[in-house]
Amino acid sequence: MQHMKVVITGASQGIGRGLAEKFAKHGADLFLTSRNMDKQMHWVSDLMHKYDVPVSTYNADLSIKEEVFAFSEAVIEGFGNVDVLINNAGIFEPGNVFDQPDGQLEQMINLNLYSANHLTRKILPLMMREKKGHIFNMCSVAALQAYPGGGAYSISKYALEGFSKNLREEMKPYGIKVTSVHPGAVFTKAWEGFVERSRIMEVSDIADLIWAASQLSANACVEDIVLRPQLGDV
């Protein structure tokens, strides 16, 4: 695991932060981005000292195509090659197709789908050159089953699942793995005050499974990770 190069988007909090902790613990070189990475430097510094790993950070709003491209160039220049790409950046706003605010679907698609598409397309040539790599796309159980109030969010996650499935088929000949990750409710700031922590999953549950999937032999690929709270969806 030493010096495995891992890129994580949406890394300043929640699942992204938990993933950074997990991979750093196992000696990975990290390149992290979010809109607010500059506000996380104390945590990043602690991460580097605790696990003695290099961590690069970059502020970017990945809903903006040009900022995705700028971040990808920083990764290419800083890393040279990428072993693991985790497309975790995303946003959730509740709503229904018939009454959600105008522009909400575009907002969700820009970050939840297009950011992953644009960044992956920039990173893929590095992986294809090396004939190896692993891409994790953070979908959702909302990409598996529609529900009232899901609206634009669910649509965007269904689209990301479609992107992930197509990419999986395309990358098989290149030795590049693609995994769709479908978590149910996970205890992050978004859930504080709305549900008992014991009712839903921990960030570490997601991080542990993604880490485990990244450690299989070159002959095995976990195509889908689906996990829900023990009592089911909230």
Side-chain angles (χ1 to χ4, degrees):
M1 184 63 204
Q2 194 69 26
H3 303 305
M4 178 180 278
K5 296 177 180 179
V6 180
V7 176
I8 305 172
T9 69
S12 62
Q13 61 184 347
I15 293 173
R17 182 165 171 166
L19 286 164
E21 290 270 1
K22 185 68 177 183
F23 278 88
K25 181 179 179 180
H26 291 278
D29 296 0
L30 300 177
F31 212 129
L32 312 177
T33 187
S34 79
R35 285 177 295 179
N36 302 303
M37 284 309 303
D38 58 336
K39 298 178 181 178
Q40 304 297 323
M41 296 316 296
H42 179 71
W43 163 68
V44 170
S45 178
D46 288 347
L47 196 67
M48 294 171 69
H49 287 94
K50 183 177 181 180
Y51 298 113
D52 191 27
V53 294
V55 181
S56 300
T57 62
Y58 193 96
N59 260 46
D61 181 349
L62 298 186
S63 68
I64 301 172
K65 187 176 185 178
E66 291 74 19
E67 295 199 24
V68 178
F69 288 169
F71 172 61
S72 67
E73 290 303 316
V75 170
I76 292 167
E77 181 178 347
F79 265 6
N81 67 283
V82 174
D83 297 297
V84 176
L85 169 61
I86 305 177
N87 288 310
N88 173 68
I91 188 172
F92 168 76
E93 293 288 348
N96 298 294
V97 172
F98 71 90
D99 65 359
Q100 63 195 9
D102 184 46
Q104 186 161 299
L105 177 59
E106 290 87 346
Q107 179 190 26
M108 298 290 165
I109 291 290
N110 283 341
L111 186 57
N112 296 354
L113 173 65
Y114 287 162
S115 70
N117 174 73
H118 299 328
L119 182 56
T120 300
R121 281 167 50 85
K122 289 292 187 180
I123 299 301
L124 272 177
L126 307 180
M127 293 183 170
M128 294 168 75
R129 180 188 67 203
E130 300 295 324
K131 298 289 186 180
K132 65 184 180 70
H134 200 150
I135 299 167
F136 291 88
N137 294 309
M138 194 62 65
C139 300
S140 167
V141 293
L144 304 175
Q145 176 63 54
Y147 63 95
Y153 175 76
S154 183
I155 292 168
S156 71
K157 291 297 187 177
Y158 266 98
L160 182 61
E161 163 72 348
F163 164 78
S164 196
K165 290 303 184 190
N166 277 275
L167 192 64
R168 165 66 176 139
E169 295 305 313
E170 294 173 9
M171 290 298 106
K172 285 178 179 178
Y174 297 96
I176 298 168
K177 304 179 183 184
V178 181
T179 301
S180 303
V181 185
H182 299 279
V186 181
F187 191 79
T188 60
K189 287 184 178 180
W191 284 97
E192 288 182 7
F194 292 96
V195 64
E196 289 292 327
R197 184 166 186 165
S198 60
R199 173 63 177 84
I200 59 180
M201 298 180 292
E202 295 288 340
V203 164
S204 60
D205 295 323
I206 316 302
D208 287 349
L209 277 176
I210 290 178
W211 157 254
S214 76
Q215 294 305 293
L216 301 182
S217 76
N219 297 327
C221 175
V222 176
E223 295 185 326
D224 297 280
I225 296 175
V226 182
L227 65 166
R228 291 180 166 90
Q230 170 61 21
L231 294 178
D233 291 328
V234 177

